[in-house]
Amino acid sequence: MTSYDVEFRSVSKHFGDFVAVDRVDLQVEKGEFLTLLGPSGCGKSTTLRLIAGFLHPTEGDVLIAGEVMGTRPAYRRESSMVFQDYALFPHMSVLENVGFGLRERRESREDIRRKVDAMLEVVGLTEFGDRRPSQLSGGQQQRVALARSLVLEPTVLLLDEPLGALDLKMRRHMQVELKNLQHRVGVTFIYVTHDQEEALVMSDRIAVMNQGRIEQIGPSHELYENPRTRFVADFIGETNLMAGTVEALEGETVRVAARELAVVGLRPPEVRVGDAVHVSIRPEKIRGGEESRDCETTAQGEIVDVVYKGSEIRYELRLPDGTLLTYDEQTKHHSRRFAVGDTLDVGWSAEDARIIRDEDG
Ligand code: ATP
């Protein structure tokens, strides 16, 4: 017996010669909020459709609640899908829209009414039962779409960019609402987005996809703090990536020569002297001025650009060897400002420098 709500066992999906999903293994726990994140065309929607049953694997097995799905059609699966365009029935009221699936299942009128009322309360739309979709805001329509899926009590709710059509403010609001809703109902959510901030805010775990494969899967903080590949480091948040070669292993740390810079960073597994690596250092982990003195890695650069961003100031620095570094300084503690042309000391601690072997991606 497996305890996973959804499992992929080496699943591939080919469209002719094109490999959209490439030998993906995945286990999704009961009640988990998992996000599939990646650039356009990386295979997120295809993965979701393989779970839904709109597509079937070319190779491998998709399991829902421990059962191999094979070619079982969508309507016979314990999953339900919410689409970006909501796909509500325009001629039906909110009550009718939410009750649609239950009517199809030929449940009794009383049961339908009871379940629909309870679900409208969950999504905060009790007052709107008699309205048509066109009489609702985008966010309200999205909540109707959610209610319509959740009322069927699926094992897994599949959400394909469900907030894509909303403006930024409504989107932020709905992100929090969705997360709260998921906690209340305890249903497993598998969510597709290309928006990394959205993924970080909502997910228990994120699967970062690239060219049909999952590059890394884990909780938000783990992907941000410990990216295992260059792609993940670059895709989640912003980072400075520098190519280099491992020069020495020093206990828990390694020393990397990156052009003229000697970078000290945490030692990754299985690294050897001479390995080609990339150093990833987040702009907000860099320290400037006095604070850089005690850092394991230090450098001096010329400021070539300054951008005031409100809560922080972003400096672009050019080191003598030509390396460009992005450094974010919090404005909270400092009133000092540097200008283009100034020279600035910067540094970072070994624990903030991630060393990624080129061999690992
Ligand atoms: P987006 O964020 O743009 O929706 P995605 O990560 O969801 O991207 P998919 O829709 O899964 O990407 O598509 C993955 C790749 O498979 C794309 O290159 C796409 O063109 C291709 N693809 C998807 N469906 C088909 C199909 N029915 N026939 C041929 N190629 C397809």
Side-chain angles (χ1 to χ4, degrees):
M1 259 314 277
T2 162
S3 65
Y4 302 120
D5 266 1
V6 173
E7 191 177 353
F8 273 37
R9 293 185 184 158
S10 197
V11 171
S12 296
K13 180 65 189 174
H14 300 185
F15 294 111
D17 289 343
F18 184 76
V19 183
V21 171
D22 190 7
R23 289 162 291 162
V24 164
D25 288 305
L26 177 68
Q27 289 103 22
V28 188
E29 304 271 356
K30 198 170 243 343
E32 190 176 7
F33 195 129
L34 177 83
T35 299
L36 305 175
L37 175 70
S40 182
C42 71
K44 309 178 293 288
S45 298
T46 304
T47 302
L48 209 65
R49 282 159 195 278
L50 286 166
I51 303 170
F54 300 135
L55 295 173
H56 303 302
T58 310
E59 280 163 21
D61 288 318
V62 173
L63 289 82
I64 298 182
E67 264 192 275
V68 176
M69 290 293 110
T71 54
R72 187 184 297 191
Y75 68 90
R76 285 190 51 229
R77 295 191 180 198
E78 294 285 311
S79 55
S80 184
M81 184 112 151
V82 179
F83 299 93
Q84 180 174 349
D85 61 2
Y86 320 138
L88 298 177
F89 301 111
H91 58 286
M92 287 186 197
S93 68
V94 168
L95 281 171
E96 289 165 338
N97 262 287
V98 176
F100 179 79
L102 299 173
R103 284 200 301 284
E104 292 278 291
R105 282 188 189 168
R106 310 208 178 284
E107 298 207 6
S108 72
R109 284 183 92 148
E110 297 73 42
D111 279 355
I112 294 175
R113 187 66 208 216
R114 182 175 48 77
K115 288 183 185 178
V116 169
D117 283 349
M119 194 43 70
L120 286 185
E121 193 166 335
V122 168
V123 297
L125 287 176
T126 303
E127 309 296 313
F128 297 84
D130 294 327
R131 293 217 195 159
R132 297 276 167 91
S134 61
Q135 297 167 314
L136 298 172
S137 72
Q140 289 163 341
Q141 290 179 38
Q142 185 52 270
R143 279 185 269 160
V144 175
L146 279 168
R148 190 178 57 177
S149 288
L150 281 171
V151 80
L152 300 172
E153 297 172 26
T155 301
V156 196
L157 191 66
L158 307 168
L159 304 105
D160 196 353
E161 303 250 5
L163 307 182
L166 303 177
D167 66 49
L168 188 62
K169 201 163 172 202
M170 178 54 92
R171 206 178 158 111
R172 294 250 162 85
H173 175 72
M174 285 296 294
Q175 287 169 3
V176 178
E177 278 209 1
L178 253 182
K179 182 77 192 151
N180 290 339
L181 176 68
Q182 196 251 350
H183 271 296
R184 281 205 299 280
V185 297
V187 172
T188 304
F189 275 33
I190 304 183
Y191 191 97
V192 160
T193 184
H194 62 266
D195 179 342
Q196 47 114 351
E197 192 182 313
E198 185 158 297
L200 291 173
V201 169
M202 292 197 294
S203 322
D204 295 319
R205 282 192 306 162
I206 300 172
V208 179
M209 292 192 70
N210 183 25
Q211 297 185 339
R213 309 208 66 166
I214 294 180
E215 287 239 354
Q216 190 171 349
I217 183 165
S220 306
H221 62 89
E222 195 180 298
L223 295 188
Y224 189 81
E225 300 287 343
N226 285 314
R228 281 208 300 266
T229 67
R230 265 178 287 166
F231 180 82
V232 174
D234 207 28
F235 197 77
I236 306 254
E238 290 178 281
T239 200
N240 294 288
L241 274 176
M242 292 172 273
T245 309
V246 174
E247 276 201 325
L249 309 177
E250 297 158 341
E252 299 284 287
T253 61
V254 289
R255 199 172 67 242
V256 173
R259 294 199 189 169
E260 288 167 21
L261 202 60
V263 181
V264 181
L266 286 191
R267 181 177 178 161
E270 293 168 35
V271 76
R272 286 182 306 247
V273 170
D275 278 354
V277 294
H278 273 73
V279 178
S280 165
I281 174 83
R282 303 276 182 202
E284 76 277 10
K285 304 284 192 192
I286 295 181
R287 299 185 213 156
E290 292 280 304
E291 285 177 42
S292 67
R293 292 241 171 96
D294 303 328
C295 293
E296 282 95 346
T297 304
T298 54
Q300 199 173 57
E302 182 192 337
I303 295 172
V304 292
D305 195 23
V306 181
V307 181
Y308 182 74
K309 295 172 74 182
S311 60
E312 66 210 13
I313 300 175
R314 166 158 295 188
Y315 296 107
E316 297 290 343
L317 274 105
R318 189 186 296 115
L319 307 188
D321 64 9
T323 301
L324 288 173
L325 274 185
T326 303
Y327 156 49
D328 286 342
E329 184 172 82
Q330 293 291 313
T331 47
K332 195 160 55 179
H333 305 300
H334 305 276
S335 53
R336 69 182 167 169
R337 296 274 303 272
F338 298 102
V340 171
D342 287 354
T343 299
L344 183 61
D345 290 322
V346 290
W348 54 85
S349 66
E351 62 181 23
D352 289 331
R354 292 282 157 269
I355 311 296
I356 299 164
R357 294 192 312 165
D358 286 4
E359 204 176 298
D360 294 333

